[in-house]
Amino acid sequence: AKNAGVSQIRSFHPALKENFRQRIGLESALREALDRKQFFLCYQPQVSASTGRTLGMEALIRWQHPELGLVSPLHFIPLAEANGLIGHIGAWVIDTACAQLAAWRQAGHADLRMAVNLSATQLLDPYLEDTLLGAIAGHGLVPADLELEITESVLIQDPEQTVARFNALRQLGLRLSIDDFGTGYSSLSYLRVLPVQAFKLDRSFVEGLGKDETSLEICASAIRLAQNLNLDIIAEGVETQAQAEWLRALGCPIFQGYLFARPLVAEAATEHLAQERAG
Ligand code: C2E
Ligand code: CA
Ligand code: CA
Ligand code: CA
């Protein structure tokens, strides 16, 4: 099997070989990114559908590499998951997001919440609780200030472990939400066993509003399901006034998307909050 692997690499198409080299390059660059302070967070407002006020911010990681430029998390998060770097990167995200929320609290934004994305590997990391509690206490916050966004696809990998991990995090008092709701191809019956407080209605369904009947039905069902289960639901990727109107008519309570604000660097997010309060 070892030999087969070697000959497979030798017979790689030149383009694939290039790809392979790029991946190795990207991986070693990623290893240095934390030390070289190449990561930063952007924050995207999650706004009330009725008042337009910012209820929370979602922290979204960015990697600015001197030669590669801005690398999308869609590229480097899977890589970091595969090579074990995600623990360190995730801990940096959690600490930085908590520090920022504490600063906003100090500036008078009393009820603001912070949402942080967790990948599958992070969820199963035995140090996760320590990292979370350390950052929360270290910045004078309480667990309920933080919402963890986790995609339902984690359930496919290891349902039993996932449920146990969700329960452990919930017991600590953290808020949990299901990211990209509706795209995970898993059974809805998991809702009976996962202690979540919110869904994030996937952008693909929001995008289809006003275009296809199926998207409308899926949005309507998801919103109704959230209402019936007494959960929050946040519509992702709201880009147009028409989409916001559809969602409002369906009873969606929280919006997030370019229509309201793009992900903002810390200074711009701070400015956004200050203006909102003044206005
Ligand atoms: P996600 O959690 O589903 O995040 C939403 C993505 O949609 C973000 O992309 C955001 O910038 C983008 N977005 C927001 N509003 C709109 C809109 O109105 N229209 C469109 N077209 N896009 C919108 P981003 O920042 O590139 O992040 C991509 C994914 O990378 C995230 O998807 C999340 O899964 C992952 N990610 C980002 N930051 C972190 C992190 O700190 N940790 C982990 N584990 N994953 C992260
Ligand atoms: Ca998310
Ligand atoms: Ca999402
Ligand atoms: Ca997504």
Side-chain angles (χ1 to χ4, degrees):
K2 228 176 183 177
N3 284 337
V6 168
S7 67
Q8 251 168 15
I9 288 171
R10 265 200 219 107
S11 63
F12 266 170
H13 186 273
L16 279 180
K17 227 187 222 159
E18 191 46 47
N19 222 320
F20 186 67
R21 209 173 291 135
Q22 273 173 7
R23 198 192 132 111
I24 300 278
L26 198 64
E27 185 158 344
S28 63
L30 191 59
R31 285 187 192 285
E32 300 175 331
L34 258 186
D35 284 345
R36 300 196 170 173
K37 305 203 185 319
Q38 292 167 352
F39 293 122
F40 61 98
L41 294 183
C42 280
Y43 301 93
Q44 189 177 33
Q46 301 180 329
V47 308
S48 159
S50 51
T51 67
R53 309 286 288 189
T54 300
L55 304 173
M57 292 281 197
E58 179 180 357
L60 294 159
I61 193 169
R62 299 288 177 264
W63 177 21
Q64 180 70 58
H65 186 273
E67 281 110 47
L68 300 167
L70 201 57
V71 187
S72 168
L74 295 172
H75 286 122
F76 72 82
I77 293 290
L79 192 58
E81 283 209 68
N83 68 15
L85 288 171
I86 192 69
H88 293 290
I89 296 173
W92 177 85
V93 169
I94 289 164
D95 191 66
T96 306
C98 286
Q100 184 60 69
L101 183 62
W104 285 333
R105 287 283 172 84
Q106 290 263 301
H109 304 289
D111 298 322
L112 196 68
R113 271 204 298 260
M114 181 66 77
V116 169
N117 292 285
L118 278 196
S119 61
T121 321
Q122 278 178 283
L123 183 69
L124 300 180
D125 177 359
Y127 295 106
L128 178 64
E129 277 101 323
D130 288 348
T131 302
L132 285 164
L133 292 179
I136 288 165
H139 296 288
L141 302 171
V142 295
D145 294 334
L146 216 57
E147 181 157 294
L148 304 177
E149 299 190 358
I150 307 162
T151 62
E152 60 187 287
S153 56
V154 297
L155 280 157
I156 297 169
Q157 303 188 12
D158 191 341
E160 246 171 72
Q161 265 283 83
T162 301
V163 172
R165 299 297 287 150
F166 269 71
N167 280 322
L169 293 170
R170 184 59 194 148
Q171 295 232 303
L172 297 177
L174 291 146
R175 287 176 53 91
L176 304 172
S177 69
I178 297 179
D179 209 343
D180 305 341
F181 182 76
T183 62
Y185 306 105
S186 51
S187 155
L188 280 176
S189 66
Y190 67 80
L191 289 174
R192 295 196 306 168
V193 290
L194 289 185
V196 298
Q197 284 66 58
F199 304 149
K200 301 220 40 201
L201 179 58
D202 192 66
R203 184 170 84 216
S204 57
F205 305 124
V206 173
E207 213 207 315
L209 284 172
K211 287 187 194 162
D212 64 274
E213 194 67 26
T214 311
S215 292
L216 175 61
E217 288 305 330
I218 291 171
C219 288
S221 304
I223 293 164
R224 199 166 348 103
L225 183 62
Q227 286 169 344
N228 290 343
L229 295 174
N230 231 332
L231 302 178
D232 267 336
I233 182 160
I234 302 162
E236 297 188 321
V238 183
E239 292 183 352
T240 70
Q241 204 61 60
Q243 289 166 350
E245 270 156 34
W246 274 111
L247 290 162
R248 222 174 254 120
L250 296 172
C252 183
I254 309 174
F255 297 158
Q256 184 179 354
Y258 296 167
L259 179 64
F260 304 95
R262 298 213 160 225
L264 303 166
V265 295
E267 297 74 31
T270 302
E271 178 65 16
H272 183 90
L273 289 171
Q275 276 187 3
E276 192 175 278
R277 204 158 46 142

